[in-house]
Amino acid sequence: MKLVSAFEHGWLTIGKEGDLTAPEADALASAESSLPRNCLEWGRNRVKFRQFCGVVQIQQILQIEILPKVFPYQTPDQQRTTLIEMLDTAGDIEGLSAQQAGLGVSNHRLLDVFIRHFLKLLEAQLQQGLLRDYRDVEDTLDQVRGRIDLIRQQRENLFKPQRLACRFNELVADIPVNRLLHSALICMSNLASSSMLRQHIQSMRIRFGGIGVIHKGEHLPRADDLNRMQRRYASVVELARLFIDGQYLDARAGQQQVYSLLLDMSQLFERFVAVKLRPTARKMGLRLMEQGPRKYLGDDDSGKGRLLMRPDISLLNALNQPVVILDTKWKLLDSGNPLASLSSADLYQLSTYASAYCCDQVMLLYPEQAGFRGEYRMALNLGRPVTLMVLAVPLYGEVFSLPAQAVKHAESEAT
């Protein structure tokens, strides 16, 4: 299988001497309907992934790994580390960065890192025992077990008194959660690029002997479906769902098996920032809200609201009024001066938020990048004093919080 590394918004050339051959590009085009909408952008003899990172695999023909664009000077290994720490912080794949050293990030591709992490989590839980649960069983036996089903006894064994129609509970391992985990292992055995990793997966599958798989259309168990005794499997179950959700069978492509594990970096960055800022907001006596509060910009003649506004992050006071509105942007700025690089659309958006929510402090948050670290400030002319702050958010290592002046302002508004 051919392995290709790419960066989001970075072009892959198509041709005999390019990153992808024409047949490989055709296979990717056939799989496009299974990928997130507007994930790909095509050009003349080239293609790129927009704001998505992760992995796309088409059968055993092609695997494309898409890495973050923010630090172009980083090596692919460092890019993987950046993405892994963001996923861990945002809570998408719990505990991943804490096990980076054991996973060997520098020696494996991104998908193999995810698979190794899943196997490590699963193995830790299996050491405490495979999950089992009670299942209602109906059977005909020669002695009573549980209770006798009188209706079935009369219908089936009226002339066989030595046979008893029984109904009882039996503790079994073939339950939906274990079928989900077994299905995930089968999925991973077709995705792992390392032969040693595939052998590890096969050895894990032995533990699931006699357990079935999840069939198409069946409900995939979630962490919320687990009972009190099963909660320790929560992170493993959610990761198994992530792998199984990425499968896609495209009948139009000749039963072509397509797998995708793609992450929208704009959404991931927003969750990452929210997690980083939540402790700061709590200390300031404010409540952090994601994707809200929602409010219509205006009403039409019938009184129906139009143009729903939904700020990425808001800090609310005790009266549930926004005192700071933050908008996250997963973008690279064109120059070392962020204020000169801001787009008109971003400025209009923040100005609208400030006016509609009567908020006198708004912020634009970008990932920290070459030439942009720290903070910049400007005043918006909206008929009253409104401050716009442009902040760089470190993606790993450093602790991120709001600038001291912004904190002081927010605390005064909270009181």
Side-chain angles (χ1 to χ4, degrees), residues 146-195:
R147 60 188 178 87
I148 298 176
D149 187 334
L150 295 178
I151 296 178
R152 198 159 55 85
Q153 178 69 20
Q154 292 181 2
R155 184 177 67 244
E156 299 176 5
N157 301 322
L158 183 61
F159 301 107
K160 302 176 185 177
Q162 73 280 9
R163 302 293 290 168
L164 302 172
C166 299
R167 177 177 292 176
F168 54 91
N169 290 330
E170 185 177 36
L171 191 62
V172 297
D174 190 12
I175 58 177
V177 174
N178 287 337
R179 290 198 290 271
L180 172 75
L181 299 175
H182 191 196
S183 301
L185 288 172
I186 295 173
C187 172
M188 292 173 193
S189 65
N190 298 321
L191 297 172
S193 59
S194 163
S195 58

Side-chain angles (χ1 to χ4, degrees), residues 42-298:
W42 297 87
R44 181 176 176 82
N45 295 325
R46 59 181 187 170
V47 62
K48 69 178 180 181
F49 288 82
R50 289 192 171 99
Q51 77 279 9
F52 290 88
C53 290
V55 180
V56 173
Q57 180 167 315
I58 304 171
Q59 289 183 333
Q60 295 298 314
I61 300 172
L62 175 68
Q63 184 185 109
I64 304 176
E65 178 185 68
I66 307 98
L67 299 173
K69 66 183 179 184
V70 173
F71 297 105
Y73 55 84
Q74 284 187 336
T75 66
D77 295 339
Q78 293 170 326
Q79 293 279 6
R80 293 186 190 101
T81 301
T82 299
L83 180 58
I84 286 168
E85 293 202 4
M86 289 184 66
L87 286 168
D88 188 24
T89 301
D92 288 25
I93 302 183
E94 183 179 345
L96 184 55
S97 66
Q99 301 185 31
Q100 283 185 58
L103 293 171
V105 174
S106 61
N107 299 321
H108 295 277
R109 297 178 66 82
L110 189 60
L111 186 55
D112 284 353
V113 172
F114 291 152
I115 293 174
R116 282 175 175 271
H117 179 59
F118 175 83
L119 296 178
K120 193 174 184 70
L121 293 179
L122 180 57
E123 200 160 24
Q125 296 305 324
L126 289 178
Q127 289 175 357
Q128 303 178 50
L130 190 66
L131 288 178
R132 287 177 167 79
D133 203 355
Y134 286 99
R135 180 180 65 183
D136 290 333
V137 178
E138 294 182 353
D139 200 358
T140 301
L141 308 173
D142 55 5
Q143 58 182 359
V144 177
R145 182 177 178 184
R147 60 188 178 87
I148 298 176
D149 187 334
L150 295 178
I151 296 178
R152 198 159 55 85
Q153 178 69 20
Q154 292 181 2
R155 184 177 67 244
E156 299 176 5
N157 301 322
L158 183 61
F159 301 107
K160 302 176 185 177
Q162 73 280 9
R163 302 293 290 168
L164 302 172
C166 299
R167 177 177 292 176
F168 54 91
N169 290 330
E170 185 177 36
L171 191 62
V172 297
D174 190 12
I175 58 177
V177 174
N178 287 337
R179 290 198 290 271
L180 172 75
L181 299 175
H182 191 196
S183 301
L185 288 172
I186 295 173
C187 172
M188 292 173 193
S189 65
N190 298 321
L191 297 172
S193 59
S194 163
S195 58
M196 292 185 62
L197 191 55
R198 287 194 293 270
Q199 290 174 7
H200 189 185
I201 295 170
Q202 293 304 319
S203 67
M204 294 286 285
R205 285 191 60 193
I206 295 174
R207 305 284 295 273
F208 288 82
I211 296 175
V213 297
I214 296 288
H215 297 288
K216 184 177 180 180
E218 287 188 32
H219 169 69
L220 295 180
R222 309 183 65 93
D224 294 340
D225 298 329
L226 303 179
N227 60 36
R228 183 175 59 85
M229 301 299 292
Q230 299 170 341
R231 289 295 300 174
R232 59 188 176 90
Y233 270 80
S235 59
V236 188
V237 166
E238 287 305 310
L239 192 50
R241 284 177 53 89
L242 187 64
F243 276 98
I244 293 177
D245 281 344
Q247 294 185 97
Y248 181 81
L249 190 63
D250 189 355
R252 295 172 302 171
Q255 298 297 307
Q256 184 180 62
Q257 187 71 38
V258 177
Y259 180 85
S260 67
L261 197 162
L262 292 174
L263 308 156
D264 187 318
M265 294 304 297
S266 297
Q267 296 177 9
L268 176 59
F269 183 55
E270 180 183 324
R271 294 195 301 273
F272 175 85
V273 170
V275 171
K276 288 282 191 179
L277 287 181
R278 202 174 297 277
T280 301
R282 191 176 295 113
K283 291 177 183 177
M284 290 164 22
L286 300 173
R287 181 168 66 91
L288 185 146
M289 174 182 282
E290 299 179 57
Q291 293 293 302
R294 302 185 180 190
K295 183 177 183 179
Y296 286 103
L297 183 61

